[in-house]
Amino acid sequence: MEPSQTLTLGDISREHRFVHANRLAVVDGDVRLTYDEVDVRTTRLANALADVGVHPGSRVLWLGQNSYRMLEVLIACAKLGAVVCPANWRQTAEELEFVINDLDPSVVFWQHQEVGDTTRSARRGAACAAVWIQHDTDSVSGYESFLAAGNGADQERLVDPSSSVLALYTAAFEGRPNAALLSHTSMMAQSYLLARAMDIDHTTVTINAGPLFHVAAYMWLLPTFLSGGTNVFVSRADPAEVCLLIQAERVTTGFLLPPIIERILELNADGRFDLSSYRASARSDPRWIAMTSVDRSPFGRRSGGYGQSEVMALATYNSIGPDSIGSHGRTSPAARVRIVDADMNDVDTGEAGEIVLRGPIVGNGYWNRAELTEHRRRGGWWHTQDLGRREPDGSISFIAPMSRMIKSAAENIYPAEVESCLESHPDVAEAAVIGLPDERWGQSVEAIVVLLPGAAVSAAGLIDFCKSKIASYKKPRSVRFVDSLPSVNGAKDYATLDRIYGGGNYPGSRTTGRPGQGGGTRRARPS
């Protein structure tokens, strides 16, 4: 790419120094910085980082709660071509130790308050030669002194906008967490779309109460920054502090999780705080709307969509076009979506398959996971490993993660789709689907079902129900009723289900499974 065609997050900060020079960029406690001040500070920080060995491709780790300094580190890394990773500060020392060793950062910014003991323990156990800088101290070895020592002259280093700038660790679906890498291009493309959908502009005041280690937080932070609005930071989502800030700063939007809103509803039941500046989704709890204002932006009227961290949040938007049949709206203008089978053939409308996509919102795969990245990028498309369906009006319905697949003869059957069908039955509390080795078909589908109290639906009844909702070859051939399903970390434990009930012979696996005793259950296999 020619230099004249490049644009990065660092360049946006440089331009804001002129376009929005005296506008308030950040608020954090007593700290109030204009866009001019943010750009000056991030230039010094970038040069200070370069002085201690941070170069293009280096990783910088943030071990702390929400802070305007995390935004400064992001912009400083953007100016250098480096990558910043905000780690989940709620993790154990052992989990943080894994992150430190896996990321191998050149610099670690860490926090003493609330998470200091855990961080120190993780540091002792990690084999890492990073420079450690405490951000919540006024000492000469702290963040402010480190920043002030940096040269104030902007080096205007040329940074490739397709290079990674943010790393976010995702859930450990493969047994260990992976750091999804997001580029300048992916973050900026998504943020401009979100700014339009949310009606975010230079007058917007956003409260950053959602954790910055979660991609959803950047759905509000970055569009506000790119638009020249004001970002208000709170270290963690304390309901009273959130209310005070909404009232004092006239906050208009932000990422507030439902549990926090519930606690605010209780705290502000007497109307002690004026929250009228905040725009709440039209689909919110009426009590919340009564305290706030109705968000009349396209996103406010129909929020949400489908996405994942690896594509900087959303690949589809409910706010695009008219009301849709699909539960997750229509494809983003910055993406192309396909629903495919295991051989990358497009499935028919209404059929389930893997959601694959491409476009500028797609990130750069994973840090230090070359094989996984290549696998997810195969065929020139980003494989989400999620199951979805294209509806007749062109919209998309997300079904569930593709944890695994059952192969019956030549047909691919996704357990998540069959489970979703079963769990839509009014008598079913929960269901899990496994594949039983079958000499003729390779595998047959077995449903393991927990019924609601007092329900009396039969196995035959459930099978007929599925046959009426999904293709006949996908329906369970047998149903086993149990009192509860085993789980691990809140998720269905399929390994245990296979072991107990004889599941196996999955595609790509040599597991044949063993018949289980099924103690305490009743099983029916209608002819």
Side-chain angles (χ1 to χ4, degrees):
M1 181 179 289
E2 288 294 319
S4 62
Q5 297 175 304
T6 63
L7 188 69
T8 68
L9 290 173
D11 293 325
I12 296 297
S13 177
R14 294 180 178 107
E15 191 65 15
H16 279 0
R17 185 177 179 183
F18 300 100
V19 177
H20 300 291
N22 297 316
R23 294 196 64 82
L24 189 61
V26 300
V27 174
D28 190 342
D30 295 332
V31 175
R32 305 177 77 84
L33 299 173
T34 65
Y35 275 95
D36 176 67
E37 291 170 322
V38 167
D39 191 61
V40 169
R41 285 172 59 84
T42 55
T43 290
R44 287 193 177 276
L45 182 57
N47 289 332
L49 288 169
D51 289 342
V52 295
V54 176
H55 53 75
S58 294
R59 281 79 54 208
V60 174
L61 183 60
W62 177 267
L63 291 181
Q65 296 170 327
N66 288 5
S67 168
Y68 75 99
R69 290 171 176 147
M70 171 54 207
L71 175 61
E72 289 186 333
V73 174
L74 173 64
I75 301 304
C77 285
K79 291 181 175 182
L80 287 172
V83 183
V84 61
C85 174
N88 184 342
W89 53 268
R90 298 189 179 104
Q91 294 182 106
T92 65
E94 183 178 354
E95 289 170 323
L96 288 179
E97 182 182 329
F98 169 84
V99 169
I100 296 167
N101 287 329
D102 185 59
L103 196 70
D104 189 24
S106 298
V107 172
V108 178
F109 290 104
W110 68 282
Q111 175 177 314
H112 167 72
Q113 185 175 356
E114 197 167 343
V115 295
D117 290 343
T118 304
T119 299
R120 291 186 189 92
S121 179
R123 180 180 181 179
R124 286 193 296 269
C128 175
V131 175
W132 287 69
I133 301 165
Q134 184 180 341
H135 92 86
D136 60 339
T137 180
D138 295 327
S139 73
V140 295
S141 60
Y143 179 96
E144 290 299 329
S145 296
F146 177 78
L147 182 152
N151 191 307
D154 193 345
Q155 303 298 314
E156 288 272 5
R157 301 169 179 85
L158 183 62
V159 174
D160 183 351
S162 68
S163 65
S164 303
V165 66
L166 182 68
L168 298 173
Y169 274 88
T170 61
F173 291 113
E174 287 82 17
R176 63 177 179 178
N178 305 303
L181 298 171
L182 296 170
S183 69
H184 297 258
T185 297
S186 61
M187 296 183 73
M188 291 168 65
Q190 187 72 270
S191 296
Y192 284 127
L193 289 171
L194 287 164
R196 179 181 178 187
M198 295 178 176
D199 284 348
I200 288 175
D201 61 16
H202 65 285
T203 66
T204 298
V205 181
T206 294
I207 187 163
N208 292 278
L212 293 178
F213 54 76
H214 195 295
V215 70
Y218 297 88
M219 292 172 60
W220 280 263
L221 186 157
L222 274 179
T224 302
F225 179 80
L226 295 181
S227 302
T230 302
N231 274 296
V232 178
F233 292 87
V234 55
S235 62
R236 60 183 306 166
D238 176 75
E241 188 173 2
V242 168
C243 288
L244 284 168
L245 285 170
I246 292 175
Q247 177 175 274
E249 304 297 337
R250 307 311 295 157
V251 168
T252 58
T253 190
F255 174 41
L256 296 179
L257 290 165
I260 298 303
I261 293 176
E262 281 295 327
R263 292 172 65 188
I264 291 175
L265 288 173
E266 297 173 6
L267 178 66
N268 199 41
D270 59 358
R272 73 185 72 176
F273 298 106
D274 178 6
L275 310 182
S276 60
S277 63
Y278 191 89
R279 304 182 316 191
S281 168
R283 298 181 179 182
S284 298
D285 185 316
R287 295 174 298 161
W288 182 231
I289 293 177
M291 290 182 187
T292 57
S293 301
V294 176
D295 185 351
R296 303 193 183 281
S297 71
F299 199 84
R301 293 194 301 271
R302 289 178 295 165
S303 60
Y306 161 77
Q308 54 184 207
S309 297
E310 293 87 340
V311 300
M312 179 45 204
L314 298 180
T316 70
Y317 285 76
N318 284 325
S319 58
I320 291 178
D323 288 341
S324 62
I325 298 173
S327 57
H328 290 75
R330 292 181 166 82
T331 305
S332 161
R336 166 120 191 266
V337 169
R338 293 171 61 202
I339 310 295
V340 301
D341 62 20
D343 298 317
M344 281 295 288
N345 299 310
D346 292 293
V347 302
D348 293 336
T349 296
E351 286 294 311
E354 184 183 14
I355 302 171
V356 299
L357 57 99
R358 67 184 183 198
I361 59 172
V362 176
N364 293 335
Y366 303 98
W367 162 251
N368 201 28
R369 307 282 192 274
E371 186 175 341
L372 176 60
T373 297
E374 183 180 356
H375 177 69
R376 298 289 292 272
R377 285 176 169 173
R378 64 191 184 277
W381 293 79
W382 179 255
H383 289 251
T384 64
Q385 299 187 160
D386 284 331
L387 190 65
R389 180 175 59 243
R390 177 83 69 177
E391 306 294 359
D393 65 348
S395 59
I396 300 294
S397 290
F398 162 71
I399 298 173
M402 288 174 54
S403 55
R404 57 183 175 175
M405 185 178 73
I406 294 171
K407 191 83 169 181
S408 182
E411 302 291 357
N412 298 327
I413 301 168
Y414 298 101
E417 182 184 16
V418 185
E419 291 168 1
S420 177
C421 179
L422 286 163
E423 289 171 353
S424 70
H425 191 284
D427 288 341
V428 174
E430 193 175 18
V433 167
I434 64 173
L436 299 181
D438 187 291
E439 291 183 4
R440 182 178 180 185
W441 305 108
Q443 285 182 299
S444 65
V445 177
E446 171 155 290
I448 303 167
V449 175
V450 179
L451 296 178
L452 290 167
V457 64
S458 67
L462 284 180
I463 292 171
D464 287 343
F465 176 80
C466 289
K467 187 177 179 180
S468 71
K469 299 289 185 180
I470 56 179
S472 181
Y473 70 84
K474 301 175 184 176
K475 70 181 186 300
R477 289 184 62 199
S478 58
V479 175
R480 185 189 297 266
F481 294 102
V482 298
D483 295 330
S484 63
L485 296 178
S487 64
V488 176
N489 297 325
K492 298 170 187 175
D493 184 355
Y494 291 96
T496 295
L497 290 169
D498 282 338
R499 186 177 66 253
I500 295 174
Y501 303 120
N505 211 31
Y506 295 96
S509 170
R510 296 181 180 180
T511 304
T512 58
R514 296 178 299 169
Q517 297 302 311
T521 69
R522 64 185 195 277
R523 183 184 186 201
R525 183 190 295 274
S527 58

